[in-house]
Amino acid sequence: MGLFRRREDRTPDEALPFLSVADAERVRRLATDALGRAGVPVVAFADRLESLDGRAFGLWNLAAVCAETDDRRVWPDLVEGHVARLLRPPPDVATMPVDELLAGTVLRVYSTDTLAEWGAERLGYAMPVAEDLVEALVLDSPHAVSLLTDDEVARAGHDALRAAGRARLVAEPYEHRREPLADGAEADVLIGDSMFVASKVLVLDHVLTALHGPRAYPDGVLVALPDRHTLVLHVPDGPSVVPALQSLAGFAAGAFAESAGGVSPSVYWWRDGVLRRVSRRTEDGRTAIEVGPELEAVLSRNARA
């Protein structure tokens, strides 16, 4: 039952690839019926539903929620709740009291590609944390999670919101377990229902202290965050470090490809608060590991230990 065991092969739906063709069709049907009961008749397309008055309801997030739930019997209830939230007006950040805005803000990690799709020009405050990862602020309300724009951040001030968002992120719950990698190496695996588990890479110093107590990490930590519910850590220690890196890179790429809430298919090396990407997907779908001189020295020294 290990995390790194090969998963069941399923034929993916073209528009919602983390669901099978049959499961994706069921989600479309459930959503169509739920909107119809709410008085919004729609026409179903592969990736969205469109109402007669021109509104479009994307299916990606709904399908992601269903994909993350093993018990398909609860899908109708999940879809009903999702549709209810879709039809409920979002919170008005422009008029929200500043103390409520501060209380609801959370730091979140995004890929640069995702942020570009959502309009990076309105997110000038967002801070790069790695070659392809960005830190942003979101409002986590009871009915939706929404990215805060520059104008919305300016209402409370970036520093105040970032401090509040960091505190919320630290407090987000998760489960911890140890999983085998390769050649006797193990990884710390953080998982949970919270969509901010992967974002704990932004407070990794706090996570490591919570897991292992106060200590130094002279050789850094290898990190994978394939989806929003998962963060995997491996501390280089001994001759199994190279097989461990290879195993982690393969897992990250595979889990990202199968995930509904994917963050990154890459592995990163964290040391002294700096995050560097050390694996990536190539254009032909392979996983390439690319280490710089510093990490190469760490790997070589541990391999000889």
Side-chain angles (χ1 to χ4, degrees):
M1 299 298 292
L3 180 67
F4 298 93
R5 185 169 296 174
R6 186 178 297 275
R7 302 183 183 186
E8 180 184 353
D9 182 33
R10 299 190 306 162
T11 301
D13 183 81
E14 186 173 344
L16 306 171
F18 40 84
L19 291 177
S20 68
V21 172
D23 284 345
E25 187 56 36
R26 185 182 181 213
V27 168
R28 294 184 188 100
R29 184 172 63 254
L30 288 170
T32 298
D33 292 346
L35 281 164
R37 288 191 296 273
V40 185
V42 293
V43 176
F45 295 87
D47 61 346
R48 69 195 186 281
L49 306 176
E50 290 188 4
S51 66
L52 300 180
D53 59 5
R55 285 179 291 174
F57 303 93
L59 289 168
W60 187 275
N61 287 340
L62 174 57
V65 171
C66 292
E68 292 164 358
T69 305
D70 293 331
D71 188 353
R72 287 170 172 77
R73 293 173 298 180
V74 304
W75 282 16
D77 291 337
L78 291 176
V79 172
E80 287 285 350
H82 183 85
V83 166
R85 288 188 294 273
L86 280 178
L87 299 178
R88 186 180 295 117
D92 186 359
V93 179
T95 60
M96 177 181 293
V98 170
D99 59 342
E100 290 185 19
L101 179 57
L102 288 167
T105 296
V106 190
L107 278 181
R108 186 170 179 182
V109 68
Y110 287 95
S111 70
T112 52
D113 289 343
T114 297
L115 222 59
E117 292 174 2
W118 290 350
E121 67 278 359
R122 299 184 300 127
L123 305 166
Y125 72 87
M127 301 168 58
V129 295
E131 179 181 345
D132 58 342
L133 297 177
V134 177
E135 170 196 297
L137 295 163
V138 300
L139 178 64
D140 182 22
S141 70
H143 310 303
V145 174
S146 54
L147 269 166
L148 294 177
T149 65
D150 288 331
D151 290 343
E152 292 165 344
V153 168
R155 290 197 62 229
H158 179 261
D159 290 345
L161 281 172
R162 188 173 187 274
R166 178 183 171 86
R168 273 285 308 273
L169 180 59
V170 166
E172 282 294 308
Y174 60 86
E175 299 177 17
H176 169 242
R177 66 186 189 222
R178 297 281 289 177
E179 287 277 357
L181 283 171
D183 290 5
E186 290 188 328
D188 289 297
V189 180
L190 279 60
I191 56 174
D193 293 333
S194 168
M195 66 173 58
F196 302 110
V197 175
S199 293
K200 283 182 176 287
V201 71
L202 303 174
V203 290
L204 196 53
D205 53 347
H206 183 278
V207 170
L208 291 168
T209 299
L211 293 179
H212 303 298
R215 56 161 287 188
Y217 294 87
D219 289 341
V221 181
L222 296 173
V223 182
L225 50 158
D227 62 66
R228 58 195 179 191
H229 300 285
T230 308
L231 181 66
V232 184
L233 312 173
H234 173 69
V235 180
D237 182 19
S240 62
V241 63
V242 173
L245 171 56
Q246 294 169 335
S247 177
L248 188 56
F251 163 74
F256 173 83
E258 295 181 8
S259 170
V263 179
S264 173
S266 299
V267 172
Y268 302 85
W269 182 46
W270 178 91
R271 186 163 74 165
D272 298 331
V274 178
L275 204 62
R276 299 180 178 91
R277 186 170 68 172
V278 298
S279 78
R280 62 178 180 84
R281 288 189 305 178
T282 62
E283 291 184 358
D284 59 2
R286 295 181 299 108
T287 297
I289 297 177
E290 302 170 338
V291 302
E294 292 182 30
L295 180 55
E296 183 178 5
V298 168
L299 297 178
S300 297
R301 185 175 64 255
N302 277 274
R304 295 192 302 267

